[in-house]
Amino acid sequence: MRRTPHRRAVATGALVAVTAMLAVGVQAGTGTAATPQPGTEHAKPAPGALPAPLSPSQRGKLIRDAGAATSATAKQLKLGAQEKLLVKDVSKDADGTTHTRYARTWAGLPVLGGDLVVHESKAGAVRSVTQPLRAKLTVPTTTAKVTPSAAASKAVKSAQAQGSEKTKADQAPRKVVWAADGTPRLAYETVVGGLQDDGTPNALHVITDATTGARIFQYQGIENGIGNSEYSGKVTLGTSGSGSSYTLTDNGRGGHKTYNLNHGSFGTGTLFTDTDDTWGDGTPQNAQTAAVDAAYGAQETWDYYKNVHGRTGIRGDGVAAYSRVHYGNSYVNAFWDDSCFCMTYGDGSGNASPLTALDVAGHEMSHGVTAATAGLIYSGESGGLNEATSDIFGTAVEFYSNTAEDPGDYLIGEKIDINGDGTPLRYMDKPSKDGASADYWSSSVGNKDVHYSSGVANHFFYLLSEGSGAKDIGGVHYDSPTYDNKPVPGIGRANAEKVWFKALSQYMSASTNYAAARTATLKAAADLFGQGSASYNTVANTWAAVNVGSRVGDGTDPGGDNVYESTGAVRIPDGGAAVTSPITVSRAGKAPSGLKVSVDITHSYRGDLVIDLIGPDGSSYRLKNASTSDGAADVKQTYTVNASAQAATGTWKLKVQDLYRYDSGTLNGWKLTF
């Protein structure tokens, strides 16, 4: 979660970030904004859009049913003959809507970046598809020109350049189709093991072009009874045993176990045992104390996801991860490793400050939730979103647990005192206060270490929860600025958590960047609160407050432009019936003579398309005619319409029809600017 000066590589999801990997730049905020009025009542989410609590067996049945229908789904989505779908996860809303996440293969090879989510109504009708790979998936050949050994050698050298020790390829490179950048090509994926330079296990994934041998991409795969805890006081733990023989095994939460590595760096370690079921003494000198904090963090995280989001276990399958404490010697970090499905904690400088605080535990295990859902790649902007997701839910777990010794706040790692001066690791209200994190998005934010690019999403979450400006919450003073100097009111932390979880689990994908995260959260907000509602608009305007996208019409900018937007993707039938997408406008007076209609359509042959704007009174305004001579792809254009003859308020629709066969597309979204 923060830099350590001597480090050159970082564990995915690990607590400590790296300075040597990047040039650190502080993105200082310039805007201050007014505090919303106290006593604001936040909108309640639509009950039907909330997650349906699924038992592991219920979830398993949904996965089996989806798996039995993959061929039919692939045909319905018009995938190529060599493309196959593999079910990764299924979630379900209370109203019966299902969201099925698929991985994809091409000619039997895994497609990295080819994941998609199909959203179906209770009746089984496809409502929309979240599909980052817009281009047709074609690969000229599956025959590599580069040998596997050459790819492995290049990967090992890449890891060694980052300070990795005892470095070797953990397994033979596997042949894949790399499509995460939108250009499918044959590649090798090599996973390099050993240790990073600070002692963290290494799992560097290196993607090598199988035709040219060039390195395409790389990312790190290690995501950095009665108990007397060090950070949460006296707590009740789930343990097992009787008489004079107890183990730190929580059978009530999937069988979570806590192990003692005793300063080792490999293996599982020894399961903690005790004779009287009273664990630890609240000091780091007692080896059980760190285990108490780790076990308590695991149980509170389990309870949070189950009771708030209806998810039983990190993968939703009712199976617990396990925890390892006392890793290494003076190891100032903690990390999640999806390959062992476990959390690991060091003891801090001088083995005196274990990194087992509650928000750290929630942070690490939330990397597992991300891996099991969106699978955000731990590099660039998607890596920042991955890291921010763990900060967001680590914070949520801390608020959920609500212990007197460690009450909820918007400070990250404030208990573990890595800085040695009592300051937290990160600040969500103004991330740049840590000296490195970004308050706002910029085109270079993806070049930052993921622990610092995460600041944009952390800032968004704080603003969405509490609103901008100066205020005191739970005895902590916050003062959150905005990029555009305009206030945002917030929708309440509980609502913000629901928006982020729904976006993560149902609308984000492995390569989601900040612009796509905005789209995902708006889709989630539309499901929960209604498109164009006050809460929906606040989500959009909060992204604008961190410099992602534009503000929409919410009444906060009298006399200025109001923007009303639909981000719900709608598939356009190939040579079929017209589809429509609605936007509800609440604006007094007539529509302007210069109404701007911005359209975002992905289509392999845009000449097939006819596009119309339909006003609230049924009037039709032609935006685009079909043309057999226009063979270019996509429609990403803003049209100007004289709509002054009718009132602005009401439901406007964009109508799109594909007149000819053999090419297909998707209406990704559209907006009206008054």
Side-chain angles (χ1 to χ4, degrees):
M1 292 183 187
R2 188 191 166 122
R3 62 189 184 281
T4 297
H6 71 279
R7 297 186 63 204
R8 295 176 54 212
V10 63
T12 305
L15 182 70
V16 182
V18 189
T19 50
M21 291 175 65
L22 70 159
V24 176
V26 178
Q27 305 249 343
T30 58
T32 56
T35 304
Q37 292 296 320
T40 301
E41 283 196 23
H42 301 293
K44 300 292 185 184
L50 293 173
L54 295 175
S55 68
S57 61
Q58 289 172 326
R59 174 179 173 272
K61 184 178 186 306
L62 288 173
I63 290 175
R64 290 192 298 273
D65 290 347
T70 52
S71 295
T73 302
K75 184 176 181 180
Q76 188 175 12
L77 297 179
K78 298 183 179 178
L79 301 185
Q82 297 195 74
E83 294 182 77
K84 306 294 182 186
L85 294 175
L86 302 173
V87 179
K88 180 179 177 182
D89 193 16
V90 182
S91 63
K92 187 176 183 179
D93 295 340
D95 66 2
T97 301
T98 58
H99 310 267
T100 306
R101 187 177 295 274
Y102 297 92
R104 193 182 332 196
T105 64
W106 166 268
L109 300 177
V111 180
L112 306 185
D115 52 320
L116 56 91
V117 186
V118 176
H119 313 278
E120 291 182 304
S121 69
K122 182 178 181 179
V126 175
R127 288 182 170 176
S128 63
V129 180
T130 300
Q131 186 173 201
L133 180 61
R134 301 293 185 184
K136 286 185 176 179
L137 180 54
T138 56
V139 179
T141 179
T142 57
T143 302
K145 293 184 179 180
V146 175
T147 64
S149 60
S153 176
K154 184 178 288 288
V156 168
K157 289 178 180 177
S158 183
Q160 290 171 337
Q162 291 192 359
S164 180
E165 300 176 358
K166 301 179 182 178
T167 307
K168 64 177 181 178
D170 268 359
Q171 54 197 21
R174 68 168 181 166
K175 196 183 293 185
V176 299
V177 174
W178 173 257
D181 58 4
T183 305
R185 72 197 98 163
L186 190 66
Y188 286 111
E189 179 188 32
T190 307
V191 181
V192 181
L195 297 174
Q196 298 179 46
D197 71 334
D198 70 336
T200 303
N202 195 43
L204 187 70
H205 293 242
V206 181
I207 313 299
T208 308
D209 192 305
T211 300
T212 67
R215 188 184 69 193
I216 300 172
F217 190 78
Q218 67 183 40
Y219 68 95
Q220 184 57 253
I222 302 295
E223 302 188 12
N224 281 334
I226 295 297
N228 296 295
S229 74
E230 182 172 358
Y231 301 116
S232 298
K234 183 171 286 188
V235 296
T236 301
L237 297 176
T239 62
S240 297
S242 62
S244 60
S245 179
Y246 297 89
T247 67
L248 212 47
T249 303
D250 190 350
N251 287 326
R253 297 176 177 87
H256 176 271
K257 292 178 168 61
T258 306
Y259 294 91
N260 185 1
L261 280 172
N262 196 26
H263 305 298
S265 301
F266 297 99
T268 303
T270 304
L271 182 64
F272 276 94
T273 61
D274 192 77
T275 58
D276 61 3
D277 208 21
T278 297
W279 305 79
D281 63 4
T283 70
Q285 288 73 36
N286 186 311
Q288 287 186 353
T289 299
V292 170
D293 277 302
Y296 182 67
Q299 77 175 36
E300 292 301 285
T301 302
W302 177 285
D303 289 353
Y304 167 76
Y305 278 108
K306 182 177 182 179
N307 295 333
V308 177
H309 302 299
R311 189 175 187 85
T312 306
I314 287 173
R315 290 185 299 232
D317 59 1
V319 177
Y322 65 88
S323 298
R324 306 184 301 175
V325 298
H326 305 307
Y327 174 90
N329 190 38
S330 294
Y331 179 68
V332 190
N333 216 328
F335 59 88
W336 168 267
D337 185 349
D338 206 55
S339 66
C340 70
F341 201 59
C342 67
M343 297 81 65
T344 304
Y345 304 90
D347 286 328
S349 180
N351 294 322
S353 300
L355 278 78
T356 49
L358 187 56
D359 58 350
V360 176
H363 173 108
E364 299 306 338
M365 283 176 278
S366 291
H367 279 300
V369 174
T370 297
T373 54
L376 291 161
I377 296 171
Y378 205 69
S379 180
E381 291 189 21
S382 61
L385 287 162
N386 187 318
E387 188 64 23
T389 294
S390 283
D391 280 352
I392 287 167
F393 290 126
T395 294
V397 167
E398 191 178 76
F399 272 106
Y400 173 84
S401 184
N402 194 32
T403 64
E405 291 77 5
D406 190 9
D409 54 51
Y410 294 96
L411 309 174
I412 308 300
E414 73 282 358
K415 285 284 187 178
I416 55 179
D417 195 23
I418 281 183
N419 301 329
D421 58 4
T423 59
L425 212 53
R426 287 194 283 279
Y427 305 79
M428 300 184 91
D429 65 320
K430 188 177 181 184
S432 62
K433 286 195 290 187
D434 69 7
S437 291
D439 289 334
Y440 311 116
W441 182 85
S442 69
S443 59
S444 62
V445 78
N447 297 326
K448 283 180 169 288
D449 178 86
V450 295
H451 296 83
Y452 304 144
S453 61
S454 63
V456 180
N458 280 343
H459 193 190
F460 166 82
F461 179 77
Y462 173 85
L463 287 169
L464 189 63
S465 298
E466 303 292 349
S468 53
K471 62 196 67 180
D472 295 292
I473 303 168
V476 180
H477 181 73
Y478 303 97
D479 192 355
S480 194
T482 64
Y483 181 81
D484 57 7
N485 293 309
K486 298 176 182 178
V488 287
I491 62 173
R493 178 177 42 78
N495 285 343
E497 291 172 20
K498 290 178 174 64
V499 166
W500 195 267
F501 182 79
K502 192 173 185 70
L504 174 78
S505 60
Q506 297 177 358
Y507 293 115
M508 291 186 188
S509 66
S511 56
T512 294
N513 59 15
Y514 273 113
R518 176 182 183 273
T519 298
T521 54
L522 284 173
K523 288 177 179 177
D527 292 345
L528 292 166
F529 305 107
Q531 190 166 299
S533 65
S535 295
Y536 175 95
N537 288 344
T538 297
V539 173
N541 292 338
T542 302
W543 277 117
V546 295
N547 197 32
V548 180
S550 304
R551 292 219 173 207
V552 301
D554 64 347
T556 63
D557 187 18
D561 287 344
N562 280 175
V563 180
Y564 296 83
E565 183 173 10
S566 169
T567 59
V570 179
R571 287 192 70 82
I572 304 167
D574 182 20
V579 295
T580 60
S581 173
I583 290 178
T584 301
V585 174
S586 54
R587 179 182 175 86
K590 294 287 189 179
S593 59
L595 177 64
K596 293 181 175 61
V597 187
S598 300
V599 179
D600 179 2
I601 293 175
T602 302
H603 196 278
S604 49
Y605 196 100
R606 69 186 183 194
D608 289 359
L609 301 178
V610 175
I611 306 174
D612 296 288
L613 175 69
I614 310 298
D617 66 356
S619 298
S620 180
Y621 305 88
R622 176 58 52 90
L623 304 181
K624 178 190 175 300
N625 286 308
S627 173
T628 56
S629 62
D630 184 3
D634 305 338
V635 180
K636 300 182 185 295
Q637 188 170 340
T638 297
Y639 303 90
T640 301
V641 171
N642 182 354
S644 58
Q646 63 178 296
T649 190
T651 300
W652 298 73
K653 296 178 182 178
L654 191 74
K655 175 181 162 184
V656 183
Q657 185 173 15
D658 183 332
L659 297 183
Y660 307 104
R661 299 197 65 81
Y662 305 119
D663 292 276
S664 59
T666 302
L667 170 59
N668 303 311
W670 67 291
K671 62 185 178 182
L672 293 168
T673 303
F674 287 83

